Amino acid sequence: MTNPKEKNTIPPRLELFSDAVFAIIITIMVLELHPPEGNQLQDLYPLLPVFLSYALSFIYLIIYWNNHHHLLKTMDTPNGKIMWANALLLFCLSLIPFTTAWIGIFPGESVPTIVYGSVFLASTIAYTILEQAIIETEGKDSVLAKALGRDSKGIISLITNVAAIGVAFLNPWISYVLFAGAAFMWMLPDPRIETQLKKKKE
């Protein structure tokens, strides 16, 4: 029989660990921002691609962190399936600093852009796996299942990532626009989970 106290402590532990990983990923990524060799404003220009790639990846990580926070609020005690699905998501996200640094050094190049997009695609798939693991555990009538519905937003995001990877073979700059567009879509308020959580409390 599950200890009630244990039930209340496990989810925060999972979230605290995940938050620590998010913080480490962002810290590693920002360490790639090296100061210019000169002391003039024009010395910053060569670093612009590095900064823009960092800014885009930072926005993506904050979006994942924000949605991950709400996602974990929809469940009670995580099982092994949820723990491993969460670990898979964190693994995919941990690759973002590497790919961010690569496109920052080689902006407009196809291969770094394809790898960059592939990491985002893998992260999207891993996040979906985590969602499904929670729904399978909590049930089809769970808060998350009701909040997601057909998850059209997630489907659009998946299609956008695939399109960005495909376009990168021809014009990586269009891929960057698609990446930014997908990020902007997720930056818009999405109250689905919060709405269902409020209904559950009523």
Side-chain angles (χ1 to χ4, degrees), residues 67-76 82 85 126-152 186 190-200:
N67 285 290
H68 184 268
H69 167 75
H70 288 92
L71 191 64
L72 296 186
K73 296 299 182 184
T74 66
M75 66 179 185
D76 292 322
I82 293 174
Y127 189 85
T128 302
I129 292 173
L130 177 57
E131 288 178 330
Q132 293 304 312
I134 294 175
I135 291 174
E136 289 178 9
T137 302
E138 299 292 321
K140 294 183 179 179
D141 293 327
S142 62
V143 171
L144 183 58
K146 293 178 180 178
L148 291 180
R150 295 183 178 180
D151 196 19
S152 57
W186 281 103
D190 187 3
R192 291 179 297 173
I193 292 179
E194 289 182 346
T195 300
Q196 291 299 324
L197 286 172
K198 289 180 180 178
K199 289 182 179 180
K200 184 180 179 180

Side-chain angles (χ1 to χ4, degrees), residues 72-133:
L72 296 186
K73 296 299 182 184
T74 66
M75 66 179 185
D76 292 322
T77 303
N79 56 19
K81 182 184 293 185
I82 293 174
M83 299 285 283
W84 278 107
N86 189 70
L88 176 62
L89 173 63
L90 295 178
F91 170 76
C92 293
L93 294 176
S94 70
L95 298 175
I96 289 179
F98 165 72
T99 56
T100 299
W102 203 11
I103 65 167
I105 297 173
F106 299 102
E109 296 295 330
S110 294
V111 174
T113 304
I114 291 168
V115 175
Y116 183 75
S118 297
V119 169
F120 279 141
L121 178 60
S123 299
T124 300
I125 294 173
Y127 189 85
T128 302
I129 292 173
L130 177 57
E131 288 178 330
Q132 293 304 312

Side-chain angles (χ1 to χ4, degrees), residues 3-67:
N3 188 325
K5 292 183 178 180
E6 184 180 4
K7 184 177 181 179
N8 291 329
T9 57
I10 293 180
R13 182 169 179 260
L14 176 63
E15 186 172 7
L16 286 172
F17 172 76
S18 301
D19 285 349
V21 174
F22 274 102
I24 292 171
I25 292 171
I26 292 176
T27 301
I28 292 173
M29 197 166 63
V30 76
L31 291 177
E32 293 296 328
L33 293 177
H34 302 293
E37 296 182 359
N39 58 3
Q40 301 299 315
L41 184 61
Q42 58 267 25
D43 295 323
L44 289 172
Y45 296 158
L47 301 180
L48 186 60
V50 177
F51 174 77
L52 291 177
S53 63
Y54 165 78
L56 178 60
S57 296
F58 179 85
I59 291 172
Y60 261 100
L61 284 168
I62 292 301
I63 289 171
Y64 270 105
W65 172 74
N66 186 33
N67 285 290

